[in-house]
Amino acid sequence: MLKFLVPVDGSEPSNRAVDHLIKKLQWFRNGVEIHLLNVQHLIPYGSRVSSVVGHDKIAQYHQEEGMAALKAAMQKLDAAKIKYHFHIGVGDEADIICKYAKDKGCDQIFMGTRGLGSVSGLLLGSVATKVIHLSPVPVLLAK
Amino acid sequence: MEFLNELQTTAFWAGLWQIILINIVLSGDNAVVIALAARSLPPRQQKAAVFWGASAAVVMRIILTVIAVEMLKWPWLKLIGAVLLLWIAVKLLIPEDGDDGHIESSDNLFAAIKTILIADLVMSLDNVIGVAAAAKGSLTLLILGLAISIPLVVFGATMLMKLMERWPVIITIGAGLLGWVSGDMAATDPVVKGWVDANAAWLHWFAPAAGAVLVVILGKWLAARAEAERKEVVDLGEASETKAPH
């Protein structure tokens, strides 16, 4: 089965990309295995903060924030009765997205052109731009 | 009148900006701890945890700062402080390594306040050395710096955390500034000041510049090394893998 990595950040444009994917899913005759991914930023002052609050607390924070960002996309897929996996990574968005694509053996990355960081880059968000440059697999961008 | 004269110099305003930025960057770690420790509590208790935690930080910081300013007048202490400050600045840039012994975390008000208090104790000391170094003995700067930064930590812990998560470069700039201040502090220690003024006045700009460059390069290098050592990608969603179809 074709394996898609679908990075989302919970923003409106990124959720629209999920809608688009759901709509076009019958294009793929043998179905698609969907891997949702949300990437959380590393916590600032990581080494100092973790020595006081502990690693678990930080992991829990990342997980809760990640689940919140994934929520809308998961609801859309649930509503469309589509099976999926979901992942939460921590670090630089584009780096982690590409690492995942490689790690999970995904055939393609499917994502919106822009997400939360809509300030930089007029046509393409900075994350999408970097993913195109770094990705080991084809990238499909939904506008 | 001395106070009003001080207000009119460029050095004062430059110093004020320095001290505000250093305050924000050095209070940032404290703010992150407060935000993390309080977030799993019910809203009412959140306020209590932040209030008590931050109040303790304020009191501790004021006392420690006054002591630090006094002590920095002694010979050798500025040199020692400079080295300490360089280390503190580098540490700011190192990411979490995911390995930290055993720290219990329970989600009640008492545990949250305890965490915040420990953070206050550990982190205030750093802040104070940085702030005292940047103030260069000016009490006005010191008081203004504290007055501006403390409300930020108390009322803006979560906002400050989001801000620095999004733009980590703020921390890099702040760490560089700390390196600058520490170089300046080293060059003005009573032990070396006379010699520097007479023979090597260029050290007054070279030492700060070298400090700033050293901190940024060393910090970035250590951060990159920590990042490279991370063998595999962390997956916090892994445990709850496939969603069954309906």
Side-chain angles (χ1 to χ4, degrees):
Chain A
M1 216 194 304
L2 208 55
K3 226 173 175 181
F4 272 20
L5 183 66
V6 187
V8 291
D9 63 3
S11 67
E12 189 49 41
S14 115
N15 289 335
R16 265 206 315 272
V18 175
D19 279 336
H20 182 82
L21 177 67
I22 292 172
K23 223 184 302 168
K24 303 292 182 192
L25 220 49
Q26 61 267 35
W27 281 2
F28 307 98
R29 196 179 303 159
N30 295 325
V32 175
E33 188 179 311
I34 294 175
H35 288 263
L36 280 181
L37 167 68
N38 174 255
V39 183
Q40 290 289 311
H41 288 138
L42 274 170
I43 202 157
Y45 309 97
S47 85
R48 282 169 64 95
V49 170
S50 81
S51 67
V52 178
V53 300
H55 174 66
D56 292 349
K57 194 94 184 173
I58 295 174
Q60 186 197 348
Y61 166 72
H62 285 317
Q63 197 187 12
E64 285 170 15
E65 296 283 300
M67 288 312 286
L70 286 168
K71 197 175 161 203
M74 288 168 71
Q75 280 170 350
K76 285 176 195 295
L77 289 164
D78 284 340
K81 299 200 192 315
I82 295 164
K83 223 169 146 180
Y84 59 91
H85 304 242
F86 63 92
H87 313 276
I88 298 164
V90 181
D92 176 78
E93 293 101 333
D95 282 345
I96 299 292
I97 290 170
C98 294
K99 262 191 196 158
Y100 260 87
K102 211 170 147 193
D103 251 42
K104 310 274 173 198
C106 293
D107 303 293
Q108 185 169 311
I109 295 172
F110 179 92
M111 64 188 289
T113 45
R114 54 171 60 260
L116 288 169
S118 50
V119 218
S120 60
L122 213 58
L123 291 168
L124 272 185
S126 53
V127 177
T129 310
K130 206 170 162 195
V131 168
I132 295 172
H133 283 288
L134 295 176
S135 176
V137 295
V139 180
L140 180 56
L141 294 175
K143 224 184 151 194
Chain B
M1 271 299 101
E2 195 195 333
F3 168 71
L4 285 177
N5 287 337
E6 199 182 347
L7 278 184
Q8 284 162 5
T9 59
T10 20
F12 172 82
W13 290 102
L16 185 63
W17 279 112
Q18 263 189 22
I19 216 166
I20 290 174
L21 186 59
I22 287 181
N23 256 320
I24 290 175
V25 170
L26 281 178
S27 309
D29 49 4
N30 223 324
V32 172
V33 170
I34 293 178
L36 277 180
R39 68 189 291 281
S40 40
L41 297 172
R44 265 185 81 92
Q45 293 193 346
Q46 257 181 35
K47 288 215 176 83
V50 170
F51 176 78
W52 288 110
S55 310
V58 172
V59 172
M60 229 177 290
R61 211 160 288 180
I62 291 173
I63 296 171
L64 285 171
T65 310
V66 173
I67 297 173
V69 168
E70 230 12 75
M71 280 175 66
L72 283 179
K73 291 175 185 158
W74 301 352
W76 294 108
L77 268 185
K78 273 189 168 182
L79 280 174
I80 298 168
V83 175
L84 215 60
L85 200 54
L86 275 180
W87 175 236
I88 291 167
V90 170
K91 270 287 259 188
L92 289 179
L93 299 175
I94 302 177
E96 195 211 355
D97 54 7
D99 179 37
D100 53 41
H102 304 283
I103 291 152
E104 45 179 318
S105 72
S106 55
D107 293 337
N108 60 52
L109 182 61
F110 177 71
I113 292 182
K114 198 178 82 184
T115 306
I116 295 172
L117 284 182
I118 293 173
D120 285 348
L121 200 66
V122 177
M123 291 166 173
S124 288
L125 196 63
D126 301 354
N127 293 20
V128 160
I129 298 172
V131 172
K136 295 180 189 170
S138 158
L139 206 61
T140 319
L141 275 179
L142 209 70
I143 293 166
L144 276 177
L146 284 172
I148 292 166
S149 67
I150 285 171
L152 264 175
V153 181
V154 179
F155 302 111
T158 310
M159 188 201 71
L160 216 55
M161 174 169 177
K162 289 276 170 216
L163 199 74
M164 288 170 172
E165 225 173 61
R166 194 78 187 271
W167 290 286
V169 71
I170 302 171
I171 304 175
T172 312
I173 296 170
L177 183 57
L178 277 178
W180 175 276
V181 170
S182 91
D184 188 61
M185 183 153 78
T188 53
D189 187 280
V191 179
V192 296
K193 194 172 187 306
W195 183 84
V196 169
D197 286 348
N199 303 307
W202 52 275
L203 269 175
H204 282 304
W205 62 264
F206 181 80
V213 171
L214 180 76
V215 164
V216 173
I217 290 180
L218 193 63
K220 286 280 165 198
W221 179 70
L222 286 174
R225 216 183 52 169
E227 199 56 43
E229 268 174 21
R230 216 184 289 269
K231 283 171 211 86
E232 51 196 51
V233 285
V234 210
D235 189 353
L236 296 165
E238 192 79 82
S240 33
E241 190 70 63
T242 319
K243 270 275 190 166
H246 300 284

